[in-house]
Amino acid sequence: MRRAAGLLMMLALFIPAVVMGTTRRVVGHKPVRGELVKIAEAQKAPLQSLVTAEQEFAKLSGSKGIRAAFLASLSRDCVMFRPLPVNGYEMYEARPASTAKLTWTPSYAEVSAAGDFGMTCGPWEWTPPTEKENGEMAYGTFLSVWRREPGKPWKNVLDGGISHDAPGTSLRATIVETGPDHAPFEPVQGVEDTLLAQDRALSDMAQEYNTARAVVAWTADDLRFFNDGQPSHLGDDARNALSLAARNATWNPMGSAVSRSQDMAYTYGVRVRAAVDSKTAPDSVVYVHVWRKMAGELWKIFAAVDHGVKR
């Protein structure tokens, strides 16, 4: 579904100390005002097309069913979490059709400078199958990463999210907020490896200093944090919630992808939290980080998801 979760145990990875140095390579230029205006105008079309793709995805779920909608909208290599990463397309291909209803709508969207990579998130509602007596509605928040090749439609390449209690507003009342305009800068080699190093650097800093300091250093001011069972967190509230959830933890990245313009990316993996005392056991969750890099600045996490539950 638009959510994924579970507890799992994995061995923490050894984090080399040199990572902090490798993650701070910045190559680029600062666009002048006229160039920024042109970039903003050029981004309107891909941003609106991304919002439309998410909305059409949801409409298809209502008219053709969940399975058909996901098979039409997912990339062949889409990543989902059950609770570890799986191929989402193959999972839905093997799943029978259902009379359950899944509805959702985007409340936030952001697109890369190249217009090839984007993120959407927003509320979802699930209605149980008609044949299931006394079934209960379920609610949550999804996060999707999208990608498109030149001349082709948007495809969902990573789909995750959380479940939580019913929100105070309806899907129809949701308004789409858009992220900042992205300015292009000169690409560099080995960016995907650098992205994996970002998570390791975050982990290093949390271990060397403290989690709260690391979270503030590696996240954007407008951070969105989605933690299963909780309402969505934004800004300082999100940083505080992530710091609390990740206390005494180590981030172990497993995969990543980056936009052609190298200004948006995602990483995912397993975060292992050590036992705080002899009475508690260590635990772990699957995480997703969505990163943004503005010209002349470092990579920052602007959206993060902790564990959710299966559809």
Side-chain angles (χ1 to χ4, degrees):
M1 207 157 158
R2 319 233 69 186
R3 39 186 179 147
L7 295 181
L8 48 135
M9 294 306 305
M10 292 185 65
L11 293 175
L13 302 176
F14 176 72
I15 311 297
V18 296
V19 160
M20 288 299 288
T22 65
T23 61
R24 297 183 178 272
R25 177 176 51 177
V26 179
V27 178
H29 73 278
K30 183 176 289 186
V32 297
R33 179 176 176 80
E35 185 179 0
L36 289 174
V37 171
K38 292 180 181 179
I39 291 166
E41 289 298 319
Q43 280 191 311
K44 287 181 180 179
L47 182 61
Q48 183 55 56
S49 70
L50 175 62
V51 172
T52 299
E54 185 69 80
Q55 292 170 335
E56 291 300 319
F57 182 14
K59 288 179 182 178
L60 191 60
S61 178
S63 62
K64 300 294 185 180
I66 300 172
R67 180 179 181 274
F70 275 79
L71 289 179
S73 302
L74 301 184
S75 68
R76 293 283 179 152
D77 59 352
C78 177
V79 178
M80 289 186 170
F81 307 93
R82 295 296 184 271
L84 287 173
V86 299
N87 184 298
Y89 188 91
E90 293 177 356
M91 183 187 74
Y92 273 97
E93 197 172 36
R95 176 177 291 187
S98 171
T99 58
K101 297 293 183 182
L102 179 64
T103 57
W104 68 89
T105 190
S107 61
Y108 181 87
E110 185 167 339
V111 172
S112 68
D116 68 317
F117 199 97
M119 186 277 276
T120 55
C121 60
W124 58 259
E125 296 180 358
W126 181 82
T127 304
T130 53
E131 64 273 14
K132 185 176 181 180
E133 296 183 4
N134 302 318
E136 295 184 356
M137 292 280 293
Y139 306 88
T141 301
F142 72 86
L143 181 145
S144 293
V145 179
W146 296 77
R147 195 165 202 160
R148 70 173 177 180
E149 300 299 327
K152 296 184 178 180
W154 287 101
K155 288 292 183 178
N156 185 322
V157 296
L158 182 143
D159 190 85
I162 61 168
S163 61
H164 51 64
D165 292 338
T169 58
S170 67
L171 294 182
R172 292 183 178 180
T174 302
I175 298 174
V176 182
E177 179 185 352
T178 58
D181 294 328
H182 287 236
F185 51 89
E186 184 182 350
V188 296
Q189 297 296 319
V191 170
E192 288 205 28
D193 291 338
T194 299
L195 261 296
L196 294 176
Q198 299 294 109
D199 278 342
R200 298 188 184 108
L202 168 63
S203 187
D204 275 351
M205 190 171 183
Q207 294 295 317
E208 186 174 353
Y209 298 100
N210 60 65
T211 305
R213 184 172 176 180
V215 167
V216 170
W218 290 101
T219 60
D221 292 341
D222 61 340
L223 173 69
R224 285 168 164 77
F225 177 50
F226 309 116
N227 192 5
D228 198 54
Q230 300 179 9
S232 301
H233 301 279
L234 176 63
D236 288 341
D237 177 50
R239 283 172 160 171
N240 291 335
L242 178 56
S243 298
L244 182 62
R247 191 171 46 183
N248 302 312
T250 301
W251 283 265
N252 302 312
M254 299 172 66
S256 68
V258 64
S259 67
R260 286 197 307 272
S261 46
Q262 299 185 1
D263 56 335
M264 284 185 68
Y266 69 74
T267 56
Y268 63 85
V270 175
R271 193 182 69 231
V272 181
R273 185 166 63 177
V276 294
D277 54 47
S278 60
K279 296 181 180 180
T280 60
D283 64 12
S284 56
V285 298
V286 174
Y287 71 86
V288 174
H289 291 158
V290 187
W291 299 79
R292 133 188 343 134
K293 185 179 187 301
M294 306 305 278
E297 299 180 4
L298 300 177
W299 284 101
K300 297 282 187 177
I301 300 168
F302 71 95
V305 181
D306 271 5
H307 61 288
V309 296
K310 294 182 182 179
R311 216 180 242 112

